Amino acid sequence: MTVDSAAGAPTAPAPHSEGDLVPEDFPSVQPPGGHPDYVQLLTPEGRRVEHPGYSVDLSHDEYRSLYRDMVLTRRFDAEGTALARQGELALWASLAGQEAAQIGSGRALRADDHVFPTYREHGVAWCRGMDPLSLFGLFRGVTHGGWDPKERNFHLYTLVIGAQTLHATGYAMGVAKDGADSAVVAYFGDGATSQGDVAEAFNFASVYNAPVVFFCQNNHYAISESIEHQTRVPLFQRASGYGFPGVRVDGNDVLACLAVTKAALEHARSGGGPVLVEAVTYRMGPHTTTDDPTRYRTSAEEDEWRRKDPIDRYRTWLLDAGLADQAFCDEVDAEAEELARRVRVGVRQMPDPEPTAMFDHVHAEGHALVEEQRAGFVEYHAGFADATPATAAGSGEGR
Amino acid sequence: MTVTTSSNAAEPGLASPAGPAAEGLPGAGATAPGTTAPTAPGGDGTAAHPGTATGASDAPGTVAEAPAPAVRTLTLAKTINESLRRAMREDSRVVLMGEDVGQLGGVFRVTDGLLKEFGPERVMDTPLAESGIVGTAIGLALRGYRPVVEIQFDGFTYPAFDQIVSQLAKMPSRSHGHVKLPVVLRIPFAGGIGSVEHHSESLEAYFAHTPGLKVLTPANHADAYWMLQQAIRSDDPVIFLEPKRRYWDKAELDTTAEPVPMTGARVVTTGTDCTLVAYGPMVKLCLESAAAAAEEGRSLEVVDLRSVSPLDVETVAASVRRTGRLVVVHEANTFVGLGAEIAAAVTERCFYSLEAPVLRVGGYHTPYPPARLEGQYLPNLDRVLDAVDRALAF
Ligand SMILES: Cc1ncc(C[n+]2csc(CCOP(=O)(O)OP(=O)(O)O)c2C)c(N)n1
């Protein structure tokens, strides 16, 4: 992909003239020859195909590590589902089926790029070097997040659908103001595209030419609601209405996801403004472990998507191309088991927070009422410790 | 006012009070879906009727149902489901909207089976957009429909805040009463189910603070069933807060009983030493507290507010005049919470009857904590009884 290098540091773009609303330099329009519906570099059967707009050129080690990333992510994610079923987690939002979208896009990022995830981006977190265990605290109910977003440039999981797309856009506006050449990625689902916040994020990003990539994993469902409940228009086409490029990619093809995201990031970083990537994928399991997908979808549909599995097709290609052998795959499986064990033990040993932790960090600079209530709370519970009845004035209730 | 007499209850089963668009509307109000096609609710005959089936399999009226017995033991979720079904059968202008309310039957299954019975024109799986849902419900109400909206979880009401407090609450007064907005927002609210962030919020004070909204929260099955009937029938916007941790509680429901009115507090148990006031999920806790206190020879009176706005202060004040003491219990944090309003209102009315300051038991001034700490955050038996001790120590 060529990027208009004259664009330089991101500034507000010149007013558009008729006809150039979508930058010409971004291969967003599906070119002839590729998959008719989306960018694809690896077929479901594991056959490599070429695409005139996008290519990948990785070392053998890098090709192998994409496989490792996907297998390990799938494994600790499956452990999350198992732990939820065992009552160790309140719930778990599984990414099963979406490994290629997350690892492909996650591996396209540079260390100085920033990620604003929703709550299902365990694979992206893995790519950022997050310890998978740190993702489990929220689902176990010991924290609402807990990690420092600045450590890995991986921001907090966001449960309010779509809210983070505005944060990502604002962050990207700041990056542009600073003249830095980092890029920002906002992750969200197909359902989220219905939220006003997401529409507003698209518009702000466009108006301020912010270096943000909107990475939508269209996994076909928002809990029970199929994509038809959210839109009549292919999602990637939304971008053109806001004046930036949109591209649709086979979200179960890790190579295509990597190539498309890399191009989008470079476009954003070099002053081209936002890009919308729609990764077409499928949520194989329930929405979360509290959901029952048999109420709204058929096993035939699930089977059809199982045949497009991102890991199977990639393994087939790796083995066929001689980039890996069975011994390597076995090694990765063993490593995955070890990771799952570490997660299982780690989650079970995760301590409950100190009760007074709920009074911490409510305000950056403290707050008299919170401190008064903390003191009352401590005094009240100390009363239980020596089994003497709480004193009349002691508990701080309601003050 | 207490609810032992149904003074202001419109009889469920009778035609709704005529809204602005109901005039000249043959069939509206009592037409069984699918039997006849009443004229469009818009009044000018141009709108498609909401009961018109599009998909044959979901065609309303094709489900042959044996009449259910009048008295059944049901979960609270199923009770609300029955209430919705009845309201929809009785008035074809009632439409349901929300995320996952159709095929899934809602994440709590409160709308289970309604899509099958009434079809997609009346049970609408909406796009994932709360502001959009409430905003379009307002538009549907302007057109003569009576939308009943499900917000999936309390914490996801906030994206619709502007539509609720600036539009839904104010349009009627802005129009000098020419516009009525019979919209019900059903919101599973408050905590105690061990869920993740944004799934356990107490919103009542925000909405009670907003003129133009009525805010209800039933604490038992009969109230849930009848108050919802009244709310749907009401020409005012109603925020209907469902205590989600009680959804799975079972109790007997008599659908032929005398309907109870939508608002007005109720004395649930009488006592002489101290009054406990609560609403929604905390009523059960207060009844348990009263039972525990009785074992120690203390007699507590429990008042269920039922309606947070309008607030039936007089029933509370009358109780305080009998007991001399008041403890208000709610899950929401106490600062600027409903307890503050009740304390002030009761103090104004019965200062000379009070033997102790009005005390509050509620959440702390912290965000609702992660699930593993909610036991520390939520009012419990010990905290309620401790407050009673303190009140009695004065
Ligand atoms: C504002 C808001 N409304 C409702 C919900 C409840 N909810 C949680 S996930 C979800 C579906 C999200 O679907 P999508 O955006 O496609 O993402 P996916 O979970 O499929 O990855 C809903 C409705 C929420 N979290 N936030």
Side-chain angles (χ1 to χ4, degrees):
Chain A
M1 186 197 91
T2 56
V3 171
D4 181 5
S5 53
T11 49
H16 294 291
S17 62
E18 189 89 19
D20 73 346
L21 281 174
V22 173
E24 288 298 316
D25 61 350
F26 195 85
S28 58
V29 182
Q30 306 312 322
H35 190 284
D37 292 334
Y38 39 57
V39 178
Q40 190 180 72
L41 298 175
L42 190 63
T43 68
E45 297 75 34
R47 208 163 32 80
R48 271 289 268 123
V49 288
E50 294 306 319
H51 189 284
Y54 297 93
S55 60
V56 281
D57 184 18
L58 305 179
S59 72
H60 290 188
D61 273 351
E62 286 169 328
Y63 279 126
R64 275 192 294 269
S65 72
L66 289 176
Y67 177 77
R68 174 177 173 268
D69 289 337
M70 289 198 289
V71 171
L72 265 59
T73 300
R74 176 170 290 185
R75 187 62 190 88
F76 78 74
D77 175 78
E79 201 54 39
T81 299
L83 286 163
R85 301 258 183 256
Q86 293 157 17
E88 298 286 347
L89 304 175
L91 54 84
W92 179 252
S94 166
L95 67 17
Q98 301 179 217
E99 293 85 355
Q102 294 197 13
I103 301 301
S105 61
R107 284 298 174 210
L109 294 162
R110 263 179 11 198
D112 62 321
D113 292 336
H114 287 260
V115 172
F116 286 77
T118 161
Y119 43 74
R120 204 188 287 282
E121 266 68 74
H122 320 315
V124 182
W126 171 260
C127 293
R128 299 310 281 170
M130 298 278 294
D131 180 346
L133 252 189
S134 55
L135 307 173
F136 284 79
L138 186 151
F139 296 100
R140 187 163 171 86
V142 300
T143 171
H144 290 323
W147 62 82
D148 176 2
K150 291 187 291 297
E151 238 171 54
R152 305 270 170 190
N153 293 352
F154 185 77
H155 289 258
L156 294 172
Y157 273 2
T158 309
L159 295 189
V160 181
I161 299 295
Q164 77 281 6
T165 59
L166 281 166
H167 313 154
T169 300
Y171 197 94
M173 287 160 59
V175 167
K177 276 186 201 299
D178 293 345
D181 80 337
S182 307
V184 179
V185 187
Y187 285 88
F188 51 99
D190 42 297
T193 62
S194 294
Q195 287 284 356
D197 276 5
V198 174
E200 293 177 27
F202 286 179
N203 199 36
F204 271 68
S206 180
V207 165
Y208 289 99
N209 205 43
V212 55
V213 173
F214 295 109
F215 194 92
C216 175
Q217 288 166 84
N218 174 359
N219 68 10
H220 286 80
Y221 284 93
I223 310 189
S224 73
E225 295 192 3
S226 64
I227 179 74
E228 290 75 24
H229 288 93
Q230 311 294 343
T231 184
R232 290 277 177 104
V233 176
L235 291 175
F236 77 98
Q237 287 180 3
R238 293 246 177 122
S240 70
Y242 292 92
F244 58 87
V247 57
R248 186 179 253 190
V249 57
D250 180 345
N252 284 16
D253 172 354
V254 69
L255 297 178
C257 288
L258 180 78
V260 166
T261 311
K262 224 176 201 157
L265 289 165
E266 277 162 22
H267 179 86
R269 268 197 241 290
S270 53
V275 177
L276 170 61
V277 176
E278 178 192 359
V280 180
T281 180
Y282 193 80
R283 187 193 81 212
M284 288 307 302
H287 168 72
T288 67
T289 42
T290 61
D291 176 41
D292 173 13
T294 61
R295 281 181 166 249
Y296 55 84
R297 70 185 190 196
T298 62
S299 51
E301 182 183 289
E302 288 170 21
D303 288 344
E304 185 193 324
W305 278 93
R306 205 163 280 124
R307 285 193 288 278
K308 301 179 189 168
D309 186 89
I311 298 184
D312 290 350
R313 78 169 74 168
Y314 194 65
R315 186 194 307 105
T316 302
W317 174 68
L318 277 185
L319 295 173
D320 285 355
L323 292 166
D325 56 14
Q326 192 54 47
F328 167 76
C329 295
D330 294 345
E331 241 170 69
V332 172
D333 285 344
E335 192 183 354
E337 281 313 312
E338 178 48 33
L339 175 61
R341 196 197 59 81
R342 185 163 76 77
V343 163
R344 185 159 60 243
V345 172
V347 165
R348 290 216 168 101
Q349 289 178 349
M350 215 172 256
D352 284 358
E354 284 300 315
T356 52
M358 65 184 158
F359 298 100
D360 296 342
H361 313 299
V362 179
H363 296 267
E365 297 178 345
H367 186 292
L369 175 63
V370 178
E371 292 318 315
E372 188 189 327
Q373 290 190 348
R374 180 207 298 268
F377 180 90
V378 169
E379 195 183 334
Y380 175 66
H381 284 275
F384 282 103
D386 25 292
T388 52
T391 56
S395 94
E397 295 291 0
R399 271 174 264 150
Chain B
M1 187 202 77
T2 59
V3 297
T4 38
T5 56
S6 64
S7 50
N8 71 347
E11 276 288 322
L14 302 182
S16 305
E23 282 136 26
L25 231 189
T31 311
T35 51
T36 19
T39 19
D44 60 3
T46 53
H49 181 257
T52 306
T54 47
S57 61
D58 285 325
T62 55
V63 188
E65 281 214 21
V71 182
R72 278 173 292 164
T73 300
L74 302 173
T75 62
L76 183 68
K78 180 68 178 156
T79 297
I80 299 170
N81 176 277
E82 288 294 316
S83 184
L84 291 170
R85 176 174 286 112
R86 178 167 180 170
M88 294 184 79
R89 281 182 181 167
E90 288 174 358
D91 186 346
S92 61
R93 297 170 301 169
V94 176
V95 293
L96 303 191
M97 4 179 5
E99 296 157 9
D100 304 291
V101 298
Q103 230 172 326
L104 191 67
V107 292
F108 291 106
R109 307 290 183 261
V110 170
T111 55
D112 201 12
L114 299 178
L115 172 68
K116 197 159 191 239
E117 179 167 347
F118 299 105
E121 292 291 330
R122 295 188 66 197
V123 181
M124 297 188 275
D125 266 332
T126 63
L128 206 179
E130 288 76 11
S131 182
I133 295 168
V134 176
T136 55
I138 291 171
L140 281 160
L142 291 171
R143 180 69 187 174
Y145 288 85
R146 306 183 82 84
V148 180
V149 167
E150 176 174 298
I151 303 285
Q152 196 158 75
F153 277 95
D154 35 50
F156 309 130
T157 314
Y158 301 123
F161 203 71
D162 171 61
Q163 287 292 343
I164 298 170
V165 303
S166 307
Q167 305 302 327
L168 185 63
K170 291 185 181 161
M171 207 180 280
S173 66
R174 212 157 80 213
S175 72
H176 292 196
H178 290 297
V179 163
K180 295 191 175 65
L181 292 180
V183 176
V184 177
L185 303 188
R186 293 182 36 247
I187 307 174
F189 92 116
I193 64 162
S195 197
V196 290
E197 202 183 6
H198 312 297
H199 291 68
S200 306
E201 311 270 309
S202 293
L203 323 136
E204 59 271 22
Y206 294 113
F207 295 124
H209 192 66
T210 303
L213 301 175
K214 288 181 176 164
V215 184
L216 313 179
T217 168
N220 63 47
H221 287 52
D223 276 358
Y225 184 84
W226 295 113
M227 286 165 76
L228 184 54
Q229 297 286 313
Q230 308 287 353
I232 294 170
R233 204 169 287 288
S234 165
D235 277 337
D236 279 317
V238 174
I239 311 288
F240 194 80
L241 299 171
E242 298 172 3
K244 72 167 87 74
R245 72 156 105 173
R246 309 287 180 222
Y247 270 149
W248 302 278
D249 288 1
K250 285 190 172 177
E252 241 178 37
L253 174 76
D254 181 356
T255 54
T256 58
E258 175 88 345
V260 295
M262 187 170 98
T263 61
R266 173 199 289 126
V267 176
V268 193
T269 38
T270 53
T272 51
D273 295 338
C274 178
T275 299
L276 298 179
V277 165
Y279 51 90
M282 290 290 98
V283 172
K284 188 173 174 191
L285 173 66
C286 287
L287 290 172
E288 288 162 2
S289 303
E295 286 175 19
E296 290 166 14
R298 282 188 175 152
S299 166
L300 306 187
E301 181 149 313
V302 177
V303 178
D304 175 1
L305 290 179
R306 299 174 72 254
S307 164
V308 160
S309 177
L311 188 63
D312 178 5
V313 177
E314 210 23 70
T315 297
V316 181
S319 173
V320 171
R321 285 186 202 107
R322 289 191 291 274
T323 64
R325 292 178 173 82
L326 176 61
V327 173
V328 188
V329 182
H330 56 58
E331 285 191 26
N333 51 333
T334 53
F335 186 66
V336 200
L338 205 67
E341 177 61 37
I342 294 168
V346 165
T347 306
E348 282 169 8
R349 281 167 179 78
C350 26
F351 185 68
Y352 292 107
S353 305
L354 281 167
E355 307 279 347
V358 179
L359 299 179
R360 289 172 284 164
V361 179
Y364 301 103
H365 201 64
T366 70
Y368 193 92
R372 299 265 167 168
L373 289 185
E374 71 181 353
Q376 309 280 350
Y377 175 93
L378 289 170
N380 58 23
L381 203 75
D382 283 332
R383 287 176 62 195
V384 173
L385 293 179
D386 174 66
V388 170
D389 284 347
R390 284 187 288 130
L392 285 158
F394 277 93

